[in-house]
Amino acid sequence: MLTVYSLVLVALLPFISASAAVPRPAAVAQEQPLITPSPATWDPTKTAKSRRDVLSDLTSDIDSVLSGLGSNIPSYVASGVPNFFQGFPSGSAVESSLGINSSQLAALPTQVLNIPGYGNWTDQGWNLRFHGNVFKQPNISESKLDDLANIFLIGTSVQQLPAAQASQAKNLTAEIFVVQQGNENVTFNLEPAPAAGASGEEGGGGAVTATGGNQVIDFPTPTTPEGDFDGFVQIKSEGLMDGNSTTAVQRLNVYTQGTNTGNATAYLVPSKGLTIISDIDDILRITKIYEPAQGLLNSFAKPFVPWLSMPSIYANWSRSIPDFHFHYLTTTPEQITRNYMDFIYSTYPGGSFDTRPLNFSDVSATLSIRKFLLEKIFQTYPERKFILIADTSNSDVMRDYPAMVTEFPNQVQCIFLRNTTATDSGDQFPYDTSGFKNISQQMYMFFLVPDDLTNLDISNGQCYNSSILQNVTFGEQGLPFGINLGGGKKGGVGRSPAAGVEATIIASALAILFGALFSEL
């Protein structure tokens, strides 16, 4: 039987024996993302910049040298994002796989996933964003649910998990196998929200209880074929503080009529102030998304666990920074984000949410959704400053965060990135720091542990702790064998372009090997 070492040599043999220069890989046509436009308005104000065609403007890392090495490379290696949250069934596919007929479906109650939204102040008053999904959840037998849950587990099964973990895995699987309801009308009740979040402050942090706002809102358009609704709706004042006369973020409860499943909290955010846009996986919770077997177990079965002392960091920011707006952005599909929202509201300050809607339905769309959502909130608040925080394991973060500095001058206050390759030996994915080359060091910091963020005056733009070694080379970093590319002057190792090709070939060969090993698990 071949050893892992032997398999590595076999994978590398074609490249080791080649003495000629490595040719440039042939270009690979980029697959067009399958996206269904929402019929609801996306424009929060008349003065916001027109929304560009985000997808056509973005370039994908899939067009890199990895694309020329064939289809054996796992998609999560090519993109820099493990895509085990990709390709969930929906609609008719769920009906077919579960053997549900139309009469059985009609008898099921309609449910709503209501995602915490944000609102902005205009010369007509408050505009509030409503977004979520309408669906029906079929009754699935225990044995069938076990079989479906095992699809999402690597190297184990629900039968081998402790009872609590098995139960969570099955509950989450049931949330995936739902039938979305298109052409549905949604109505909401609004009222002041006494509390949301867990910062240790009265009310949970991140906002104050609204002084009014009681009203009924009929969402103006039916749901999309995927069951999604998303758009801004003008709401009545009804005692709310005007956004041009207060700096406070106001908190409203949003209840969906006709179901007890569609409840959320919305945040009315003034035109000026400070907003943090925070990723969740591997920055607020331990996910290990870069280790597929462990990442799936942590996401589907195990209870969500905060990453070290990050709850204390966020609680301190909520207490010490006046009127700080928290916005949580995850590219996890919306079907499985209820656990994310429950975790955030029980562990971190309350805030608005963004997730990946169902109409972003392929890998290209997955890699573009973060930029799409970032641009949306930046355009909604052209006078606010933003703190961006995430980790290096996501290629879209490494591309999109520095791009926002150029695209929205004077709006990005700080960028904080946890360097997962430096703190977790399980993260073998390279990351690209080239986007930071022309950005002042005072605006960003790569950090290792939450304590690196203490004693920074982020409200006044102090984003860099000079005692934290940066080691930024402005190129591909975290490659196998400690190789870093680029010509940075901050302690990083620079390599020639030829060495870059060699390093990529080595990384690709290892990726092929890892992909083969994962397929046997």
Side-chain angles (χ1 to χ4, degrees):
M1 180 177 178
L2 287 175
T3 65
V4 172
Y5 177 74
S6 300
L7 288 171
V8 171
L9 290 179
V10 170
L12 294 176
L13 187 58
F15 308 111
I16 296 172
S17 62
S19 58
V22 179
R24 181 181 297 276
V28 176
Q30 182 173 342
E31 180 182 356
Q32 292 300 310
L34 306 175
I35 295 178
T36 305
S38 169
T41 176
W42 286 93
D43 299 322
T45 72
K46 295 181 179 179
T47 57
K49 293 186 292 184
S50 298
R51 182 168 62 86
R52 301 183 294 105
D53 185 352
V54 176
L55 295 177
S56 65
D57 287 350
L58 294 179
T59 57
S60 172
D61 287 344
I62 298 177
D63 288 331
S64 70
V65 70
L66 291 176
S67 298
L69 297 175
S71 60
N72 288 330
I73 297 175
S75 62
Y76 53 79
V77 173
S79 69
V81 181
N83 282 308
F84 45 72
F85 289 147
Q86 187 69 42
F88 286 169
S90 61
S92 59
V94 173
E95 295 179 60
S96 175
S97 65
L98 298 180
I100 303 171
N101 59 44
S102 57
S103 59
Q104 290 172 319
L105 189 63
L108 296 171
T110 299
Q111 301 186 50
V112 177
L113 172 66
N114 190 3
I115 300 172
Y118 53 80
N120 70 318
W121 178 256
T122 74
D123 53 4
Q124 285 86 37
W126 285 108
N127 276 358
L128 180 58
R129 182 183 176 206
F130 297 85
H131 61 134
N133 188 267
V134 179
F135 62 94
K136 291 190 174 186
Q137 190 168 46
N139 297 316
I140 307 175
S141 68
E142 283 293 316
S143 60
K144 181 67 171 179
L145 200 55
D146 287 352
D147 292 341
L148 294 173
N150 285 336
I151 296 173
F152 303 105
L153 298 172
I154 297 176
T156 187
S157 66
V158 291
Q159 292 81 4
Q160 296 173 295
L161 295 174
Q165 293 184 22
S167 177
Q168 178 168 313
K170 290 191 284 189
N171 288 339
L172 195 57
T173 301
E175 292 178 11
I176 293 171
F177 283 85
V178 298
V179 181
Q180 290 76 24
Q181 301 297 293
N183 200 35
E184 293 285 337
N185 294 305
V186 191
T187 299
F188 304 96
N189 295 335
L190 305 185
E191 63 181 47
S199 68
E201 304 165 87
E202 183 179 356
V208 300
T209 302
T211 54
N214 296 73
Q215 58 196 282
V216 176
I217 297 293
D218 294 318
F219 194 76
T221 59
T223 56
T224 68
E226 296 84 6
D228 286 333
F229 58 90
D230 193 340
F232 285 85
V233 179
Q234 186 174 342
I235 65 174
K236 299 175 183 178
S237 175
E238 302 293 348
L240 293 168
M241 293 183 286
D242 290 350
N244 58 359
S245 64
T246 182
T247 59
V249 178
Q250 300 175 79
R251 187 172 51 226
L252 286 170
N253 279 331
V254 181
Y255 300 108
T256 309
Q257 290 189 2
T259 177
N260 60 2
T261 62
N263 303 331
T265 305
Y267 294 80
L268 302 179
V269 183
S271 301
K272 297 181 179 180
L274 191 62
T275 291
I276 183 170
I277 301 178
S278 178
D279 195 12
I280 297 176
D281 286 309
D282 292 309
I283 186 71
L284 300 187
R285 63 172 287 246
I286 299 172
T287 310
K288 296 183 180 291
I289 201 168
Y290 33 79
E291 296 183 52
Q294 190 63 46
L296 282 167
L297 196 61
N298 289 338
S299 296
F300 275 86
K302 290 186 175 181
F304 284 13
V305 176
W307 179 54
L308 300 178
S309 60
M310 283 302 279
S312 297
I313 297 294
Y314 274 50
N316 178 63
W317 282 344
S318 180
R319 290 191 299 267
S320 61
I321 301 174
D323 307 315
F324 197 20
H325 169 220
F326 291 83
H327 182 70
Y328 302 98
L329 192 161
T330 175
T331 58
T332 300
E334 62 186 14
Q335 301 108 301
I336 59 173
T337 52
R338 206 180 289 275
N339 282 3
Y340 280 73
M341 292 186 286
D342 291 345
F343 167 72
I344 290 297
Y345 276 77
S346 64
T347 315
Y348 290 94
S352 49
F353 256 83
D354 262 316
T355 65
R356 190 208 318 165
L358 288 183
N359 58 353
F360 282 75
S361 53
D362 69 0
V363 174
S364 297
T366 301
L367 294 173
S368 67
I369 182 59
R370 192 183 303 274
K371 184 73 175 297
F372 180 86
L373 297 173
L374 284 169
E375 288 189 327
K376 187 177 182 65
I377 192 169
F378 269 67
Q379 291 170 0
T380 303
Y381 304 104
E383 296 182 88
R384 288 188 75 84
K385 301 281 190 179
F386 292 89
I387 309 291
L388 307 178
I389 186 166
D391 68 277
T392 58
S393 67
N394 289 305
S395 64
D396 55 344
V397 163
M398 300 305 295
R399 176 191 61 219
D400 296 341
Y401 274 18
M404 300 303 287
V405 177
T406 302
E407 187 174 346
F408 295 91
N410 303 317
Q411 281 193 258
V412 177
Q413 182 117 316
C414 299
I415 299 176
F416 296 122
L417 292 164
R418 176 197 171 193
N419 189 343
T420 50
T421 63
T423 59
D424 194 333
S425 60
D427 184 3
Q428 299 296 322
F429 293 96
Y431 58 98
D432 186 0
T433 58
S434 59
F436 292 86
K437 187 170 185 178
N438 297 316
I439 299 177
S440 169
Q441 174 66 81
Q442 302 306 313
M443 290 185 64
Y444 69 88
M445 183 173 73
F446 291 81
F447 68 99
L448 303 180
V449 294
D451 284 351
D452 294 344
L453 300 171
T454 58
N455 301 318
L456 291 176
D457 186 6
I458 62 174
S459 59
N460 289 311
Q462 184 193 2
C463 314
Y464 172 52
N465 181 344
S466 59
S467 68
I468 308 302
L469 181 65
Q470 294 300 281
N471 193 34
V472 179
T473 67
F474 307 119
E476 287 286 340
Q477 299 189 225
L479 291 164
F481 313 115
I483 295 174
N484 295 312
L485 307 181
K489 298 180 179 179
K490 299 181 181 180
V493 179
R495 296 278 175 166
S496 68
V501 174
E502 294 168 5
T504 305
I505 290 171
I506 293 170
S508 303
L510 290 174
I512 295 170
L513 173 61
F514 294 152
L517 292 176
F518 288 146
S519 69
E520 296 298 324
L521 293 177

